Amino acid sequence: MSAQRIADVFTRAYLGVFFLYLFLPLIVMGVATFNSSRFPTVTPWQETTLKWFSALAADNQMWDALWTSFAVGLGVILVAVPIGVAAALFLSDLQTRAKPFIYGVMVSPLLTPGVIIGISTLIFWRPYGITGGYLLMVLAQSSFIAAYVMLMVMARMQRFDRTLEEAALDLGATHLQTFRRVTLPYLRPSMLAACLIAFLQSFENYNTTIFVRGIDTTLTVYIASKVRTGVTPAVNALGLILISVTILAAIVYEIRRRRELAATAAAAARARADEKAEIAAAVPATA
Amino acid sequence: MSVLLQRYGWALTSIIVGLTVLWVVVLVVLPQITMIDYSLRPNLPLPQRDGPNDVLTWANYTTLAGNEIHRTIFVKTIWASALVTFLTFLVCYPIAYHLAQVATGPRAALLVLLLIIPFWINEILRTFAWWIILAYSGPLNIALMALGFIDEPIRYLSGNSGVIIGMVYAYILFMVFPLYNAMESLDRNQIEAARDLGAPVWRIHWRIIAPHAKPGIATGCIMTFMLAAGSYAVPALLGSPGSRWFTEIIYNWFFEGGNWNQGAAYAFILLILCIVFIFAMMRVFRVGLGDIAK
Amino acid sequence: MSKKTMDRSSLKTQRAARTFTRRTLLQTAAATGAIAAAGPFVINSKALSSSGEVKVFAWAGYFSDTMMADFEKKTGIKGTRVEFGSNEEQMNTVKANQGKGFDLIMPTIDRVPQYVEEGLLQPLDDSKVNFDNVIGGNLSGSDGGGGKVGGKRYVAPTDWGTEALTYNMEKAPLTYGTASYGDMWNPDYAGKVTCRGHSGLVGIGLYLQDAGKLPHTMREAFADEKKMVANYDIILAFATKAKPSIAQFWSNENEAQGAFRTNGVVIGQTWDSTGARLWDEGLPIRYVAPKEGALAWIEGFGMLSGAENIEEANAFINWYYTPEVGAMYASETKINSTVKGADALLPEFNKKFFAAAYPGDALDKLWSWPIQDAWFISKRNEYAEKFLAA
């Protein structure tokens, strides 16, 4: 019992340290937004200011780049997640001696430096009239992001009780029904996580994107190009806004969830009360 | 293929196979062949391509054998990536366990959210924030000096420590999610039972949770290792000349040297050796491919 | 499937097939270039159909939104600017696109022969570009430094800048005349120095050359591989011994600024813009040319071989070659415009900085980067790598 308590205390302490580690850079970045120094730092502190937010508001290039990044990220989810799931299903059922080789080929994009994926994709598609731009960014990024998706889905697949699918089929479900009602729901958590990873990977990709971007610019490419003249805290301001929006969305979601919970609880209580009243009304009648 | 057909019917099977083949052939293999072709040719200006000097050669591959600096960096990259993987695992295991088995519904959702938030900020900025923290006259040194722990600022950025701190940080999500996915499917009753039977905490983890999470551990470690070995931004920013990464050499061939042929050869060597390394590790830890891909 | 049949066929056919595709590609590219360079009527029809736009691949931060709007207002042509962050990114992007996708790029002139050798640039039409508005010395400097290849002019110079000594005036004061690249290796500053790998070696080389410790001049070393090796072996030996002095290497403006602002650096060899920005913000940082001469580079517009909007591109260059635009550009970037009359319109700070950076005979002593051939770059990288790994 006391060992359990020690473990609890330890867990709490560990969670604290872990999240401090996780948020330390964000705190530094966030605070630097309010330092007037043109270089995003907290030391030396020059003057407290809000000017970097107006600098951000005026930076049209940054906003354009942000929308491009969102669009590419969504495209990558649409392409890479179905591919990754398909590849995971494919590999899970593959029974051949060549399996390690095929697996090796499938994970190879993760080990290939981004610059090579970018250049080789560009060179490969050029003869077909597809040059740098939105489509190629999505394709090039998906080529390696699909491998992440595959790995994540496969890890979940491994714990899947495949007799469930067989049972469904035996009970007369069609293949499509089985897939929709049994397989997909089981894979759902890993697919959601994969969507998230795919989006974030796309959002921050640089090495591949610079070669296939054509005349489009994503946020990361834009920020990276700033090293020529020096990154300014306007970039931090954007980061701070993205974080705040995420937290705000989470809070709104939580409030709504609680309200719904309360509403259903109230409804349930009312229903119970009605039921009681009905019973109460019914009882004397029968009595 | 017959297993697939049996399980999913011909319509779904053709979609599954179609998507997979499309990906592997069109998006992965064919473009890569262009690069392998590059790696087997000398670096010539455009007008000289296809001329008498444009012959197949192993020269780009033998360069590595002849360059001691590159060999040393190569070996260092492998073991340092393995170290990063191990540390990331240690850092993430308790979190993944907590998420999967201890925290309940909304609390778990909140923790996941907290985990994701830092990754909204792109890698360049996050790494840059670490650079500021660890800089010579940065906040960490100032805080430590104010608290009287040190008298002289420390140069964190001149060894390997900066790179390792930055990399573990960068790859947390890639370790936590696979671990969480695998642990989440463990029946909580098994843990309760072991606890009731008087098993100490470490043994529960060693004998029940870890074996169950083995595929997740393997996946997380493989992803982290590959990401670490292929990392560029972190060593470029937080590393010093003494802690250079093999990817920096590859990029150097591409960018500074303008020699794509040599760069492609180096990248191919890194790819092959890392895959060999991964399979070797799987053998050592007795994780079969079957554990990851059943 | 066709891939498979090809694999089975004999090696000879295979090679012939590959040669065919590669050569055809090449010829198509060459033909496109030729058409583009040839009759104006071809281009005019193209220009009409493309409704007047120009795509410029430019350094990040060189052309602001305001400037692009100014261009559109004055010429009626829509300008699209895509930015890059380093010379290497520029070179590789252009190479990967085989000279297409943009109309104008902005290489540093010492790299231009490399672009021309790769067939990525086309010569400029002297009758269409207003070269009269360029400062004479800058134009001849550009032509002699790589901008002219085989008698044809490939570059319209836009700006020039230097790499010299940035120092903290309180902790490492320097004065023009005595200041030298050698000052960086003063034991007082041990552990507080920053430089770039490859250009740091050139700085050491110039210092050793003036001290009479090199068998050849540095300029000769850029032209002859044997002389280069002889010089660089000595330079590397010096650099290896001096390396513990270095706190941090930089590879872009951001890192160079960071070195001085937060990483405890007091002296270093950096770009002029680094020194200017730090001073402009009130930090005790100054920038001065050493007695061996500041390393000078020139950048300019180059027309890609696959440019589709040549008329509009010329219009862009000519728009830049007006004093107001040149001045806007210089005040934004903190580097020096090549446009006549732009200096008179500069903000006060730019003038003050210029005077402090290049006093006395500093401008006569500028050491402009010699043309760097492919062999030099790969050899130079080898030495830079040994320096970093030492």
Side-chain angles (χ1 to χ4, degrees):
Chain A
M1 207 55 203
S2 74
Q4 187 57 37
R5 274 210 68 76
I6 292 170
D8 274 355
V9 171
F10 179 78
T11 311
R12 270 166 202 287
Y14 184 76
L15 281 176
V17 173
F18 177 83
F19 281 104
L20 181 70
Y21 173 57
L22 207 58
F23 281 88
L24 195 60
L26 301 195
I27 294 166
V28 167
M29 254 195 41
V31 173
T33 316
F34 301 96
N35 187 358
S36 76
S37 162
R38 194 183 170 281
F39 185 78
T41 183
V42 289
T43 51
W45 191 264
Q46 290 184 340
E47 220 175 281
T48 309
T49 176
L50 288 175
K51 70 177 175 186
W52 298 115
F53 287 95
S54 33
L56 169 68
D59 192 341
N60 292 325
Q61 275 178 282
M62 180 117 71
W63 292 108
D64 286 348
L66 180 66
W67 301 134
T68 309
S69 283
F70 272 121
V72 174
L74 289 179
V76 167
I77 290 181
L78 290 178
V79 174
V81 173
I83 287 179
V85 173
L89 296 175
F90 177 83
L91 208 57
S92 299
D93 274 342
L94 196 64
Q95 281 151 349
T96 155
R97 293 180 68 86
K99 194 167 172 174
F101 174 74
I102 294 174
Y103 177 81
V105 172
M106 283 174 160
V107 297
S108 68
L110 297 184
L111 268 174
T112 311
V115 55
I116 291 190
I117 297 180
I119 291 179
S120 63
T121 306
L122 185 73
I123 292 176
F124 175 72
W125 287 98
R126 199 170 40 207
Y128 307 102
I130 300 176
T131 53
Y134 179 77
L135 181 65
L136 222 49
M137 280 196 273
V138 171
L139 288 180
Q141 292 185 1
S142 298
S143 73
F144 69 93
I145 291 176
Y148 288 117
V149 177
M150 181 188 84
L151 286 174
M152 297 187 67
V153 173
M154 250 165 41
R156 177 124 183 129
M157 200 70 190
Q158 211 274 329
R159 291 283 162 208
F160 187 31
D161 183 357
R162 311 258 10 202
T163 55
L164 285 175
E165 288 172 330
E166 283 150 29
L169 288 174
D170 285 347
L171 291 171
T174 64
H175 287 296
L176 205 61
Q177 282 173 329
T178 312
F179 185 70
R180 271 187 45 202
R181 296 292 179 76
V182 180
T183 318
L184 272 191
Y186 179 79
L187 295 181
R188 220 176 81 107
S190 65
M191 281 169 64
L192 286 178
C195 284
L196 201 70
I197 291 265
F199 184 83
L200 293 176
Q201 274 292 299
S202 161
F203 198 70
E204 71 176 23
N205 182 268
Y206 172 71
N207 294 324
T208 301
T209 312
I210 44 165
F211 290 103
V212 291
R213 66 183 171 128
I215 60 164
D216 294 319
T217 301
T218 63
L219 185 64
T220 305
V221 169
Y222 179 67
I223 292 172
S225 76
K226 287 244 167 187
V227 297
R228 173 65 185 89
T229 47
V231 175
T232 70
V235 176
N236 296 33
L238 180 63
L240 203 61
I241 290 174
L242 285 178
I243 294 175
S244 313
V245 168
T246 314
I247 293 175
L248 213 67
I251 292 173
V252 169
Y253 171 81
E254 181 65 19
I255 289 174
R256 285 190 53 178
R257 200 184 61 85
R258 284 196 182 166
R259 231 180 244 162
E260 257 165 47
L261 219 61
T264 33
R270 224 176 300 125
R272 262 200 307 279
D274 289 350
E275 210 175 314
K276 260 187 207 151
E278 252 170 60
I279 294 170
V283 167
T286 48
Chain B
M1 206 71 50
S2 62
V3 189
L4 266 177
L5 210 57
Q6 207 175 35
R7 212 189 301 277
Y8 302 110
W10 67 266
L12 276 173
T13 302
S14 44
I15 292 176
I16 290 172
V17 174
L19 280 177
T20 310
V21 169
L22 195 77
W23 171 48
V24 171
V25 176
V26 180
L27 293 183
V28 178
V29 173
L30 286 181
Q32 297 260 26
I33 285 176
T34 326
M35 273 293 133
I36 294 173
D37 180 56
Y38 262 95
S39 75
L40 291 167
R41 289 170 186 281
N43 180 30
L44 297 169
L46 206 56
Q48 276 192 48
R49 303 255 164 90
D50 301 318
N53 294 331
D54 198 357
V55 288
L56 289 176
T57 166
W58 289 107
N60 293 325
Y61 288 89
T62 46
T63 315
L64 182 61
N67 190 321
E68 204 200 321
I69 296 174
H70 292 177
R71 274 202 325 268
T72 319
I73 293 176
F74 183 84
V75 172
K76 203 216 73 178
T77 303
I78 299 284
W79 73 253
S81 303
L83 179 66
V84 166
T85 307
F86 180 67
L87 291 176
T88 313
F89 172 71
L90 287 187
V91 169
C92 294
Y93 182 92
I95 301 297
Y97 171 72
H98 188 80
L99 271 179
Q101 294 288 337
V102 183
T104 47
R107 193 176 141 81
L110 178 71
L111 287 179
V112 169
L113 183 79
L114 286 180
L115 271 175
I116 294 163
I117 284 175
F119 295 86
W120 263 117
I121 314 302
N122 77 51
E123 189 177 5
I124 299 173
L125 277 191
R126 270 184 280 138
T127 314
F128 187 59
W130 275 114
W131 188 87
I132 288 174
I133 294 171
L134 300 173
Y136 187 72
S137 31
L140 184 62
N141 270 331
I142 289 180
L144 287 180
M145 274 163 56
L147 294 170
F149 285 123
I150 50 174
D151 300 322
E152 266 281 293
I154 299 171
R155 284 212 177 273
Y156 304 98
L157 293 168
S158 56
N160 286 313
S161 50
V163 180
I164 289 176
I165 291 175
M167 280 204 191
V168 170
Y169 187 88
Y171 305 136
I172 281 175
L173 273 193
F174 294 91
M175 186 64 91
V176 168
F177 277 142
L179 287 180
Y180 166 77
N181 258 326
M183 285 178 182
E184 197 247 6
S185 62
L186 176 64
D187 188 350
R188 219 172 271 208
N189 288 326
Q190 285 194 35
I191 304 173
E192 301 285 331
R195 199 173 286 152
D196 291 346
L197 292 171
V201 176
W202 65 267
R203 184 174 284 181
I204 297 177
H205 281 274
W206 186 247
R207 299 299 290 274
I208 296 174
I209 301 166
H212 182 85
K214 212 163 149 188
I217 295 174
T219 307
C221 287
I222 289 173
M223 287 216 264
T224 309
F225 177 80
M226 294 212 233
L227 280 165
S231 173
Y232 177 69
V234 177
L237 205 54
L238 298 180
S240 59
S243 61
R244 288 209 300 163
W245 227 244
F246 196 66
T247 23
E248 290 181 87
I249 309 279
I250 298 176
Y251 277 88
N252 208 33
W253 281 122
F254 269 91
F255 282 138
E256 297 272 333
N259 190 340
W260 292 6
N261 308 73
Q262 185 68 65
Y266 268 40
F268 201 60
I269 296 174
L270 178 71
L271 171 65
I272 297 296
L273 283 175
C274 282
I275 288 182
V276 167
F277 178 82
I278 288 165
F279 279 120
M281 281 295 128
M282 280 160 79
R283 179 151 287 190
V284 169
F285 289 106
R286 301 221 179 88
V287 184
L289 196 53
D291 287 319
I292 303 167
K294 195 157 98 184
Chain C
M1 275 300 121
S2 69
K3 284 273 162 201
K4 214 164 198 175
T5 23
M6 222 176 88
D7 285 348
R8 283 206 209 97
S9 67
S10 75
L11 198 69
K12 214 173 171 182
T13 333
Q14 220 184 92
R15 204 174 291 147
R18 192 183 287 117
T19 314
F20 174 73
T21 44
R22 279 189 156 197
R23 196 167 289 154
T24 333
L25 254 175
L26 202 69
Q27 280 165 352
T28 324
T32 321
I35 292 169
F41 54 92
V42 183
I43 298 140
N44 278 344
S45 66
K46 181 75 198 166
L48 283 174
S49 66
S50 70
S51 73
E53 60 165 354
V54 57
K55 288 179 188 159
V56 185
F57 199 39
W59 285 94
Y62 276 25
F63 292 98
S64 63
D65 286 345
T66 331
M67 289 175 75
M68 296 310 286
D70 184 69
F71 170 67
E72 197 170 338
K73 206 179 79 197
K74 284 180 183 160
T75 61
I77 300 167
K78 191 185 168 340
T80 306
R81 119 185 108 350
V82 179
E83 298 183 323
F84 59 82
S86 72
N87 245 323
E88 290 72 30
E89 184 189 337
Q90 168 171 238
M91 177 71 175
N92 282 286
T93 305
V94 169
K95 205 165 140 184
N97 283 302
Q98 289 192 343
K100 297 196 195 72
F102 300 105
D103 301 308
L104 291 177
I105 60 167
M106 298 186 72
T108 29
I109 53 161
D110 54 284
R111 301 278 183 119
V112 169
Q114 219 183 325
Y115 280 94
V116 175
E117 195 187 8
E118 296 266 4
L120 300 170
L121 286 180
Q122 56 173 301
L124 295 169
D125 186 345
D126 284 1
S127 64
K128 298 271 171 62
V129 179
N130 189 7
F131 283 113
D132 293 343
N133 274 15
V134 182
I135 298 170
N138 286 154
L139 188 60
S140 59
S142 162
D143 287 347
K148 245 185 184 171
V149 183
K152 289 177 189 148
R153 182 179 281 150
Y154 284 88
V155 167
T158 51
D159 57 82
W160 65 276
T162 60
E163 190 175 327
L165 296 171
T166 296
Y167 61 97
N168 184 313
M169 56 193 278
E170 287 154 11
K171 292 173 185 155
L174 297 178
T175 29
Y176 181 72
T178 56
S180 153
Y181 288 115
D183 288 340
M184 288 163 59
W185 316 110
N186 181 335
D188 293 351
Y189 312 138
K192 291 169 181 169
V193 176
T194 188
C195 68
R196 275 205 289 189
H198 69 86
S199 60
L201 290 177
V202 173
I204 292 173
L206 290 174
Y207 165 65
L208 293 177
Q209 171 186 307
D210 276 24
K213 289 179 183 160
L214 291 183
H216 310 284
T217 66
M218 281 306 282
R219 208 158 273 287
E220 285 171 327
F222 277 71
D224 182 314
E225 191 160 350
K226 276 208 189 90
K227 290 178 178 168
M228 186 234 185
V229 171
N231 269 8
Y232 268 66
D233 282 343
I234 299 170
I235 296 171
L236 184 68
F238 181 95
T240 309
K241 244 198 279 165
K243 201 181 160 199
S245 280
I246 297 171
Q248 178 201 327
F249 285 94
W250 62 270
S251 60
N252 57 49
E253 171 90 22
N254 208 43
E255 289 169 20
Q257 285 190 29
F260 281 92
R261 288 178 195 259
T262 50
N263 216 12
V265 164
V266 298
I267 186 169
Q269 184 182 325
T270 75
W271 285 326
D272 42 4
S273 49
T274 308
R277 287 220 168 76
L278 293 168
W279 182 3
D280 197 17
E281 267 184 56
L283 295 166
I285 306 289
R286 296 293 181 268
Y287 178 86
V288 73
K291 60 181 184 194
E292 295 90 354
L295 307 176
W297 43 263
I298 303 180
E299 281 167 351
F301 290 122
M303 181 99 63
L304 282 184
S305 53
E308 289 179 350
N309 311 295
I310 294 180
E311 301 281 317
E312 291 82 353
N314 285 332
F316 193 84
I317 300 175
N318 289 333
W319 163 76
Y320 174 73
Y321 281 158
T322 51
E324 305 79 51
V325 180
M328 268 198 258
Y329 180 90
S331 62
E332 186 87 19
T333 55
K334 306 256 188 292
I335 48 183
N336 315 293
S337 173
T338 56
V339 184
K340 275 184 195 162
D343 52 344
L345 305 170
L346 281 181
E348 211 40 53
F349 175 79
N350 287 51
K351 292 180 189 165
K352 188 172 69 174
F353 176 78
F354 194 86
Y358 315 105
D361 56 352
L363 286 175
D364 302 328
K365 281 189 167 174
L366 289 183
W367 196 84
S368 48
W369 283 100
I371 297 169
Q372 301 176 48
D373 291 324
W375 68 263
F376 180 85
I377 290 181
S378 75
K379 207 78 196 156
R380 172 198 91 174
N381 275 341
E382 258 174 54
Y383 279 102
E385 218 155 55
K386 284 180 191 154
F387 180 29
L388 295 181

